[in-house]
Amino acid sequence: MQLADAGPLARWGLPASKLVVNLSAAGMGGALFVALFTLRVEQRGFELALDVAAVSAAIFTVTSAATGFFSFIVIFNPALNAGPEFGSQLGRYLVQTEGGRVWLITTIAGAILAVLAFAVRSWGGTATVALLALAALVPMGTQGHSGDEASHQQATTAIVIHIIAAAIWLGGLLLLAVIRSVTPESEMATVLMRFSTIAVIVFVLVAFSGTVRAAIGLETFGALASPYGLILIVKVVALTAIGVLGAIYRRRLLRRMRANPGDSKIFWLLLCAELGLMGIASGAAAALARTPPPILPEPVGALTPAQVLTGAPLPPEWTISRWFTAWSPDVLWLVVAVLGLIFYVRAVLRLRARGHLWNPWRSIAWVAGTLLLVWITGGALSTYRSYIYSAHVLTVVIVLVGVVPLLAAGAPMQLARTAAQRRGDGSRGAYEWAQGLVHSRGVRFASAPVVAVPAAAALVWLLVSSDLLRWWAGDLLGRQMTTAAVLLIGSLLVLGFVGDYGAARGPAAVRLLMIFGFGVAMAAVSVYIITAGLMAADWFGAMGRTWGITPVEDQDLGGVILAVGSASVLVLGGWAVLRMQREQTI
C-alpha cells in the first residue's frame, strides 16, 4: 500500500530537522567531552564550550520536537487543524508508539540539559552534563533496523556507538573553531595534539560500528561471497586505508603547527582534513547500512515458543563442543575489551621505552581478564543465558570471581600512575580523570565495606532471583547492564578491601568478617534459589526446550553454581586481605 504524500513541508522538514538535531547533538555533548580532556576549567575556552553546549541543547530541544512532529505527519498524514482530534492523535503517537516516545524523551532531555549547561562551571558538574548529553543520544539509536530481535539489539548497540563517537568527533571540531580566537597560539597547538588522539579513537569507533551495523545483515559468513558481502569487504578496506592516510597527514600537519603555532592556515587546513575524514567515515558507514543485504528465506511454519519469547530460534543442544564453538558477540563489550587491551599494552610499552620493567604476571592477568570478559559476553554463556537459567547465574559468578580479580591483579591504576604522562598545566587527561574518580568522595563512600558488601549482596539477589530476572537474562540491554553492574560493584569491593583504600579500612579481622558476611549472603540466595519454585516460569519454563535437564533441575543447578561462587568469594577475598596485611607488616 502506498502512503499518501504528507506535503512538501513535512517531506523537506523531516530530513532538515534531523540534520540540525545531529549537528546540535555534537555541539551539546561532543564539545563538552572534548573540552574536559583538552582545556583547563579556568580558561575562557572552557566557558565557551559550556556556552556552546547550552545553546546547542536549546536548539536540540526545539529541533527534536520538530522532528517528532514531522515524523507524526509523515507516518499518519493527519488533517492539520487546531481541533481536539488532531491533538489526541499527536498525543497517542508520542506516548503509545516507539518512534513518538523516542522523540518525546529526547526533547525532554534536551530541555533539561539546556538548563544544566547554563548552571554548571566546575569539573564535576561539566563532566556530569557531558555524560548526560551523550546518554541523551541513546534513544535515537534505537530506531531504524528491521529483522529478528537478536540482530535488532546488536544493530542498536552499533548505531548508538556510531552516533556517540560521531558526535564527539564533530563536537570537538566545532569546539576548536570556536575557541581559536580566545586561546593563545602556543596552547592551541597543545589542544590540537590532544584532540588528535581523541579523533583517532572516535574514527576507529565510527568505522567499526558502521561496519558491524552493516555486517549484521549478512547473517552468515557464507554471505560474504554475495554482492553485498563483497561491497562490505571493499568498503572496509578502503575505510581502513583512508584512516591510515589521514593519521599520517594529521601528524604532519600537527608537527608544522607546533613548529609555527601562529600559522592559521595550518589550523584551518587541519580542521578541514578532519571534517573530510569524518565525512568519508560517516558516509561509508551510512552507505554500508543502506546497502540491501542478501535476502534470507523466511522460516516456514508456526513460530516456536523460543522465537515468540526471544525473537530468535532456540540454539542447538548445549554440548561440550558448543562451549568452544558457540559465538554471539556483544558489540559493546568487544569495543570495551579491545580499548582496554590497547591502552594497557601501550602503557607497558611506554614503561619499557623508559627502561622500567612491568611485572609480566600482571600483564598476563589483565589480558586473561579481558579475554574472559569477551568470551563471557560473546561465547557460549552469551548464546545460552537467555534460554537457560544456570547459564545466567554462571555468567554473574564468573564475572564476579573471575573477571574482576584478574583485572584487579593487572593493577591498571598502578600502571597508570607509573606510565602516564601527567599534565602540569591544570588540564585533565585520562590519568587525571581516573585518579580524580577513584579518590572522589562518592567512590570512597561506595567502596567502604559497610556500603559495598550489602550493595553487592543486594545486587546478586536482584540479578538472579528478583522479578526483573526475565529482563536481566532475556534482553541485550539487561545483559549488558548485568555485566556492567557486577564489574562496578566487584571493583568497588576490591578497591575497599585491598585497593587504594584497603589499608585505611580497619584491621584485617574486620575486613575478613565483612567478606564472610558477603559469602554467607550469597549462600543464602543460593539456598533460596534451590528451595523456591520455578522463577520466571513464563520465560525459562516456556522456551519449549526438549534437550538438557528440566527447567526446575536447571534452577537447582544455578543455586549450586551460586553456592560455589560464594565459597570462591570467601577463598579469594580472604587470601587477598591476608596477603595485603602480610605485605604491610614486612
Side-chain angles (χ1 to χ4, degrees):
M1 182 179 66
Q2 186 175 3
L3 295 177
D5 186 8
L9 178 62
R11 189 169 61 249
W12 292 98
L14 181 59
S17 62
K18 282 186 176 181
L19 174 62
V20 180
V21 165
N22 293 334
L23 294 175
S24 58
M28 179 179 66
L32 283 185
F33 182 87
V34 173
L36 289 169
F37 287 90
T38 59
L39 302 173
R40 301 190 308 273
V41 72
E42 66 274 8
Q43 280 181 289
R44 173 60 181 154
F46 196 91
E47 295 181 3
L48 280 179
L50 284 165
D51 294 339
V52 168
V55 173
S56 298
I59 298 173
F60 181 81
T61 303
V62 175
T63 51
S64 294
T67 302
F69 177 78
F70 287 134
S71 299
F72 166 67
I73 297 298
V74 169
I75 294 173
F76 293 97
N77 194 19
L80 294 175
N81 57 63
E85 182 179 353
F86 178 81
S88 177
Q89 286 180 316
L90 178 60
R92 287 196 299 270
Y93 169 72
L94 294 175
V95 175
Q96 297 179 7
T97 67
E98 180 182 358
R101 286 193 296 267
V102 164
W103 291 115
L104 178 61
I105 293 171
T106 303
T107 302
I108 295 173
I112 295 173
L113 288 166
V115 175
L116 291 177
F118 276 115
V120 302
R121 285 297 183 270
S122 63
W123 281 118
T126 304
T128 301
V129 173
L131 292 176
L132 291 175
L134 294 177
L137 307 183
V138 172
M140 293 193 300
T142 62
Q143 306 180 83
H145 178 69
S146 60
D148 63 66
E149 188 173 346
S151 66
H152 169 78
Q153 292 177 339
Q154 291 292 356
T156 296
T157 301
I159 293 171
V160 168
I161 294 173
H162 187 86
I163 290 174
I164 292 177
I168 292 173
W169 198 351
L170 181 58
L173 294 175
L174 174 63
L175 176 67
L176 293 178
V178 170
I179 68 173
R180 176 74 172 87
S181 60
V182 299
T183 304
E185 295 172 349
S186 58
E187 292 186 7
M188 197 66 207
T190 302
V191 171
L192 282 170
M193 289 290 293
R194 293 168 179 171
F195 173 72
S196 178
T197 302
I198 298 174
V200 170
I201 297 173
V202 295
F203 171 83
V204 173
L205 291 178
V206 167
F208 173 76
S209 58
T211 302
V212 169
R213 165 63 183 85
I216 287 174
L218 292 175
E219 298 288 343
T220 63
F221 284 107
L224 284 172
S226 67
Y228 176 87
L230 294 176
I231 293 174
L232 175 62
I233 294 173
V234 170
K235 289 186 176 180
V236 169
V237 173
L239 197 58
T240 303
I242 290 170
V244 173
L245 293 175
I248 296 173
Y249 184 62
R250 183 191 297 118
R251 291 174 70 90
R252 290 181 178 177
L253 285 179
L254 285 172
R255 282 198 296 267
R256 292 171 58 187
M257 184 74 181
R258 297 192 72 176
N260 187 11
D263 192 342
S264 60
K265 180 181 178 181
I266 299 176
F267 171 81
W268 294 112
L269 187 61
L270 180 62
L271 233 62
C272 291
E274 289 288 351
L275 280 172
L277 279 175
M278 186 188 67
I280 293 171
S282 299
L288 284 172
R290 295 178 65 86
T291 303
I295 300 175
L296 297 178
E298 294 291 336
V300 179
L303 296 177
T304 64
Q307 288 175 306
V308 172
L309 290 172
T310 68
L314 189 72
E317 182 177 359
W318 196 357
T319 60
I320 294 178
S321 63
R322 292 287 294 172
W323 279 92
F324 306 99
T325 59
W327 186 244
S328 178
D330 187 321
V331 177
L332 174 64
W333 291 112
L334 185 61
V335 168
V336 170
V338 170
L339 290 177
L341 281 174
I342 291 174
F343 288 130
Y344 195 94
V345 171
R346 184 183 178 191
V348 172
L349 293 178
R350 181 180 295 169
L351 272 184
R352 181 174 296 179
R354 296 177 186 172
H356 301 287
L357 295 179
W358 181 250
N359 189 333
W361 289 109
R362 289 178 174 173
S363 299
I364 292 174
W366 180 267
V367 173
T370 305
L371 295 180
L372 183 59
L373 177 63
V374 171
W375 179 77
I376 288 173
T377 57
L381 291 178
S382 175
T383 302
Y384 287 94
R385 65 183 293 190
S386 294
Y387 309 92
I388 301 178
Y389 175 77
S390 60
H392 173 68
V393 177
L394 184 59
T395 299
V396 174
V397 170
I398 293 180
V399 173
L400 184 61
V401 302
V403 175
V404 171
L406 284 171
L407 295 180
M413 291 307 300
Q414 183 178 343
L415 176 62
R417 279 194 290 266
T418 307
Q421 294 178 343
R422 306 185 187 186
R423 298 184 180 180
D425 61 350
S427 64
R428 294 187 177 186
Y431 168 75
E432 286 79 13
W433 276 110
Q435 284 292 101
L437 178 64
V438 169
H439 293 92
S440 64
R441 292 182 180 179
V443 172
R444 186 182 293 270
F445 171 79
S447 64
V450 293
V451 176
V453 168
L459 177 66
V460 170
W461 172 83
L462 188 67
L463 295 179
V464 302
S465 60
S466 70
D467 293 336
L468 294 174
L469 176 59
R470 174 172 175 168
W471 183 72
W472 294 126
D475 188 84
L476 177 62
L477 179 59
R479 297 195 296 272
Q480 291 171 342
M481 291 191 65
T482 296
T483 304
V486 177
L487 284 174
L488 175 62
I489 292 296
S491 299
L492 290 174
L493 285 171
V494 171
L495 186 63
F497 282 116
V498 296
D500 286 7
Y501 302 139
R505 298 302 192 189
V510 175
R511 282 176 280 149
L512 287 174
L513 182 62
M514 298 298 290
I515 291 174
F516 177 76
F518 179 47
V520 170
M522 287 183 62
V525 176
S526 70
V527 172
Y528 170 75
I529 291 173
I530 295 174
T531 57
L534 182 61
M535 293 181 291
D538 60 342
W539 183 264
F540 292 109
M543 286 291 173
R545 179 166 53 85
T546 57
W547 46 262
I549 58 179
T550 65
V552 174
E553 294 172 333
D554 179 65
Q555 182 171 308
D556 293 341
L557 177 60
V560 174
I561 291 172
L562 189 61
V564 174
S566 67
S568 302
V569 166
L570 293 176
V571 173
L572 290 174
W575 173 81
V577 170
L578 292 176
R579 184 174 182 273
M580 189 187 74
Q581 186 71 15
R582 184 169 60 252
E583 290 177 350
Q584 290 175 347
T585 56
I586 294 177

